[in-house]
Amino acid sequence: MRDFYGTTLSSGLMLGTAQYPSPAILAEAFQRSAASVATVSLRRESGQDRAGQDFWQLIRDLGVHVLPNTAGCHTVKEAVTTAQMAREVFDTPWIKLEVIGDADTLQPDVFGLVEAARILTEDGFQVFPYTTEDLVVADRLLDAGCEVLMPWGAPIGSGLGLNNVFGLRALRAHFPDVPLVIDAGLGLPSQAARAMELGFDAVLLNTAVAKAGDPAAMAKAFALAVRAGQLAAQADPMDPRDMAAPSTPLIGKAFLT
Amino acid sequence: MKLQLNGATVEAQVATLADLLVAEGFGQGKVATAVNGSFVPAPSRAGYALTDGDQIEVLAPMQGG
């Protein structure tokens, strides 16, 4: 597997920490997923209940890499400030950079994304940009200092899978040495396997596991799918063809008519 | 003085951002702070004088995808 800013991950599954029925189910899902990375966020804390402190202890106990996000940020300034705050709280230079451009699709504002990525990279951050499959934007993000790209599969939380396989395949082919993560939109393990079969280095998902009827079981299903897809990609899949080709040899077939 | 703390109005007799965190119960908690939209690193809180009407954000780890 390709390195992520010098870090080798133990699995190609990155898992979000939101929307689980309970902290215990979150922990069980992580354990069964063998995820190597947990995404987290920052929100307003109350001085009375201090909920964030308990959550932080739960995440530390998972023993995985922590990837803070800038979810919900719609401007460069918001995203940069949130990233600065996240770096201090989570003590990591990693940031999953989201600059949202459309409220309905949660599509990234790629112009703001490139600008924020440049500012953060120059400030020492290691940026994981949530982007589209657009090749030109990808180039600009790399120019801005990003060493990882995270194109969406489909809109966040939609569960639609890989909406533009052609575009994603082109992205993979265009940047063979850049670690690429499918971030968002996956709903089923088969879609995660497909992403890995296409040669992506990891998938990042949350809702598909957290909102399943049995999150821990679904986490295990995604773990197996990611591993299967990864093995398939390494095994150099056959090329598809339009016409049938018999797999059983015809030589030596009995003459029975 | 009156301050906006995480979107709510609070009346606090404090001089600095560090004082406010103690007064409002954050103590030694794992939080990050911003004043009027700009990040204030933890080491700067004790020297950061607040003024009437300042908008303070105190953020902590939370679930995220």
Side-chain angles (χ1 to χ4, degrees):
Chain A
M1 191 189 292
R2 294 170 184 83
D3 282 356
F4 296 81
Y5 291 102
T7 297
T8 303
L9 299 178
S10 58
S11 91
L13 182 55
M14 303 180 177
L15 196 54
T17 56
Q19 307 182 89
Y20 291 83
S22 71
I25 292 175
L26 183 160
E28 190 187 356
F30 264 84
Q31 193 263 325
R32 295 196 67 190
S33 74
S36 53
V37 172
T39 54
V40 293
S41 196
L42 282 178
R43 287 293 180 268
R44 285 172 167 172
E45 178 80 319
S46 157
Q48 276 73 51
D49 60 27
R50 296 164 57 108
Q53 311 307 308
D54 292 339
F55 173 72
W56 177 230
Q57 188 56 49
L58 173 71
I59 296 304
R60 288 174 59 140
D61 291 345
L62 296 176
V64 297
H65 296 280
V66 172
L67 177 59
N69 69 28
T70 63
C73 293
H74 287 253
T75 67
V76 171
K77 182 174 189 299
E78 259 188 311
V80 168
T81 302
T82 302
Q84 291 168 331
M85 297 173 85
R87 178 166 61 179
E88 183 178 272
V89 164
F90 296 109
D91 196 23
T92 175
W94 283 13
I95 190 74
K96 177 187 163 185
L97 181 60
E98 297 183 32
V99 183
I100 299 300
D102 181 82
D104 289 330
T105 61
L106 298 181
Q107 182 167 344
D109 167 1
V110 294
F111 306 97
L113 183 68
V114 171
E115 186 183 341
R118 188 177 301 282
I119 292 168
L120 291 171
T121 300
E122 287 173 358
D123 191 22
F125 282 87
Q126 295 173 338
V127 177
F128 293 64
Y130 164 63
T131 183
T132 68
E133 67 275 20
D134 189 295
L135 294 179
V136 180
V137 173
D139 246 336
R140 296 288 189 277
L141 287 167
L142 297 175
D143 286 347
C146 296
E147 296 179 17
V148 174
L149 298 174
M150 301 215 299
W152 62 349
I156 294 171
S158 69
L160 292 172
L162 306 179
N163 268 359
N164 181 2
V165 170
F166 169 80
L168 292 169
R169 194 188 286 130
L171 188 71
R172 178 70 285 176
H174 216 74
F175 302 103
D177 301 321
V178 176
L180 299 179
V181 183
I182 295 291
D183 176 14
L186 299 183
L188 288 168
S190 55
Q191 297 160 352
R194 176 79 167 125
M196 300 303 284
E197 287 164 1
L198 289 172
F200 284 83
D201 298 281
V203 296
L204 197 168
L205 53 104
N206 189 155
T207 310
V209 167
K211 290 302 212 184
D214 184 343
M218 188 60 84
K220 178 68 176 177
F222 268 100
L224 293 170
V226 166
R227 186 69 187 127
Q230 197 173 37
L231 285 171
Q234 290 164 358
D236 188 15
M238 63 169 281
D239 292 324
R241 46 182 291 158
D242 290 333
M243 301 301 286
S247 51
T248 303
L250 290 177
I251 297 171
K253 180 181 176 296
F255 187 75
L256 301 174
T257 57
Chain B
M1 63 184 155
K2 277 202 172 102
L3 301 166
Q4 290 289 314
L5 175 61
N6 285 346
T9 304
V10 296
E11 181 75 41
Q13 302 308 316
V14 295
T16 68
L17 180 56
D19 295 342
L20 178 71
L21 293 184
V22 171
E24 293 295 323
F26 294 102
Q28 299 301 310
K30 194 90 170 161
V31 295
T33 50
V35 178
N36 300 328
S38 296
F39 172 52
V40 180
S44 304
R45 289 175 196 157
Y48 195 102
L50 295 175
T51 56
D52 196 56
D54 276 348
Q55 296 188 8
I56 298 112
E57 296 286 339
V58 180
L59 307 187
M62 200 57 65
Q63 294 85 350

